[in-house]
């Protein structure tokens, strides 16, 4: 086989069911695009590593040894990748025929491109809002305190994910979902790896913001469609992933906007959590109410910064 043009990097955590659909779709792509597939297993403990080696010997498996998070898993995979571009891919994604070629065509046309992002469709073919503008305190208010639910198609309230525009009309965007993102090697080297202080969620927003600071742009490519079943792995530990999400949002504001903005973000999230806790507790959903209570602590926890 020729040298890979694309290195597909997948981080797996108890994702064998999803990989059973994801990997055959990638194998079908190998006849059209030279690629290598790297699966980083974050200590799933369910035999995923052995299963991949036995059923898909053409896939390179890296056993992380511990679950250090999505960001560090991607960084570990990219560090050994040999392709000219990296397709960062969630295990619950299926690459459809022609999509990879469309993404490659986009990266080949522009020297200033940090990443090319496909349309992400659910299992029913509905295109998700998988791109957005960089977060602000106002968009945080809209997302967590209700306005976006009432006016999703308004620029004022739904603008975080371009709610006032059709997805097909988008071109350059601030950020795009890391569920499926094609990144040229040169852009990755120029921007640097994912921030390892972010366990999961917001890592792609942070990376795209750093890429923008470096003078690079992200392009949404609606001609490329990848099916995303969405959060199969994170649904196995819903409380833990929710807490990671909260921590990542506070960390993002502290990193890019300073302590005052992070403090304001904390207040917004606390107001949202208190409202959700109250409503859920009154309805008898004590399990979910407990998660919201834990969220209050997570929001106030100091960031656990580690060397990337």
């Amino acid at each position: 086989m020729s040298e890979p043009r694309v290195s597909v990097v997948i981080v797996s955590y108890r994702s064998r069911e999803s990989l059973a659909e994801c990997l055959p779709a990638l194998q079908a792509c190998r006849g059209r695009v030279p690629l290598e597939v790297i699966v980083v297993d974050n200590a799933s403990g369910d035999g995923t590593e052995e299963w991949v080696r036995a059923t898909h010997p053409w896939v390179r498996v890296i056993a992380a040894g511990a679950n250090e998070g999505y960001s560090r898993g991607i960084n570990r995979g990219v560090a050994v990748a040999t392709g000219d571009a990296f397709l960062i891919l969630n295990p619950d994604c299926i690459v459809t025929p022609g999509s990879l070629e469309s993404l490659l065509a986009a990266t080949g046309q522009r020297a200033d491109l940090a990443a090319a992002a496909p349309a992400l469709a659910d299992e029913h073919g509905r295109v998700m809002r998988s791109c957005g503008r960089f977060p602000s305190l106002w968009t945080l208010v809209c997302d967590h305190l209700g306005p976006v639910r009432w006016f999703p198609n308004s620029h004022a309230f739904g603008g975080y994910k371009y709610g006032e525009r059709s997805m097909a009309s988008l071109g350059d965007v601030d950020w795009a979902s890391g569920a499926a993102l094609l990144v040229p090697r040169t852009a990755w080297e120029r921007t640097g790896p994912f921030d390892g202080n972010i366990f999961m969620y917001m890592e792609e927003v942070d990376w795209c913001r750093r890429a923008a600071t470096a003078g690079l742009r992200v392009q949404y490519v609606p001609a490329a469609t990848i099916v995303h079943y969405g959060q199969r792995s994170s649904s196995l530990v819903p409380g833990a992933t929710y807490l990671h999400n909260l921590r990542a949002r506070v960390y993002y504001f502290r990193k890019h906007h300073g302590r005052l903005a992070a403090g304001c973000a904390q207040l917004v999230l606390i107001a949202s959590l208190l409202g959700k806790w109250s409503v859920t507790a009154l309805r008898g959903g004590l399990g979910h109410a407990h998660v919201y209570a834990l969220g209050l602590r997570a929001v106030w926890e100091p960031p656990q910064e580690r060397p990337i």
Side-chain angles (χ1 to χ4, degrees):
M1 183 177 175
S2 59
E3 290 296 316
R5 186 178 179 191
V6 176
S7 297
V8 184
V9 180
I10 302 170
V11 174
S12 171
Y13 181 70
R14 301 179 185 174
S15 303
R16 185 161 62 177
E17 178 184 349
S18 296
L19 289 171
E21 298 179 67
C22 175
L23 295 179
L26 290 171
Q27 188 169 18
C29 293
R30 297 174 77 206
R32 301 186 303 271
V33 178
L35 57 82
E36 66 176 347
V37 177
I38 301 166
V39 172
V40 179
D41 186 65
N42 271 354
S44 294
D46 62 354
T48 295
E49 176 191 349
E50 295 80 7
W51 174 82
V52 173
R53 293 186 194 278
T55 59
H56 298 82
W58 51 277
V59 173
R60 179 173 182 178
V61 183
I62 298 175
N67 185 4
E68 295 187 334
Y70 183 76
S71 298
R72 287 175 178 258
I74 290 294
N75 292 345
R76 187 185 292 266
V78 169
V80 300
T82 61
D84 296 326
F86 314 126
L87 178 63
I88 297 168
L89 191 70
N90 279 13
D92 53 5
C93 286
I94 297 177
V95 179
T96 59
S99 294
L100 190 52
E101 293 91 323
S102 295
L103 294 174
L104 284 168
T107 61
Q109 292 169 1
R110 298 176 57 177
D112 68 338
L113 207 61
L120 294 180
D122 64 17
E123 59 267 37
H124 304 293
R126 295 176 297 215
V127 175
M128 308 172 190
R129 290 209 164 267
S130 55
C131 305
R133 296 181 172 94
F134 291 129
S136 66
L137 288 174
W138 173 245
T139 63
L140 193 71
V141 167
C142 291
D143 273 6
H144 287 269
L145 296 181
V148 72
R149 292 194 294 273
W150 306 327
F151 308 102
N153 300 322
S154 161
H155 173 74
F157 301 111
Y160 178 49
K161 290 191 175 181
Y162 299 102
E164 78 284 5
R165 295 179 58 182
S166 70
M167 291 299 293
S169 72
L170 297 180
D172 282 2
V173 296
D174 283 355
W175 63 268
S177 170
L181 203 60
L182 185 71
V183 180
R185 176 181 288 274
T186 53
W188 183 270
E189 292 173 346
R190 183 168 167 180
T191 304
F194 280 167
D195 187 337
N197 292 307
I198 302 175
F199 191 89
M200 63 188 302
Y201 298 114
M202 299 295 289
E203 70 285 328
E204 74 274 69
V205 182
D206 168 77
W207 189 87
C208 290
R209 188 177 188 95
R210 289 189 283 125
T213 301
L216 302 175
R217 296 293 294 166
V218 176
Q219 182 180 343
Y220 178 70
V221 185
T225 300
I226 289 179
V227 179
H228 184 210
Y229 287 99
Q231 298 185 333
R232 280 183 176 175
S233 298
S234 59
S235 66
L236 297 173
V237 281
T241 58
Y242 184 67
L243 300 182
H244 288 309
N245 193 325
L246 294 172
R247 294 187 189 100
R249 292 180 187 280
V250 175
Y251 177 81
Y252 175 90
F253 276 94
R254 182 179 287 110
K255 177 177 180 177
H256 293 287
H257 299 287
R259 292 188 176 275
L260 178 60
C264 293
Q266 288 172 314
L267 293 176
V268 171
L269 293 173
I270 286 171
S272 173
L273 287 163
L274 286 174
K276 291 177 180 177
W277 180 87
S278 300
V279 171
T280 306
L282 288 173
R283 292 177 177 174
L286 296 180
H288 287 297
H290 177 65
V291 172
Y292 296 138
L294 291 176
L296 293 172
R297 179 187 299 176
V299 165
W300 280 109
E301 286 179 350
Q304 298 179 356
E305 298 191 17
R306 303 169 295 172
I308 298 176

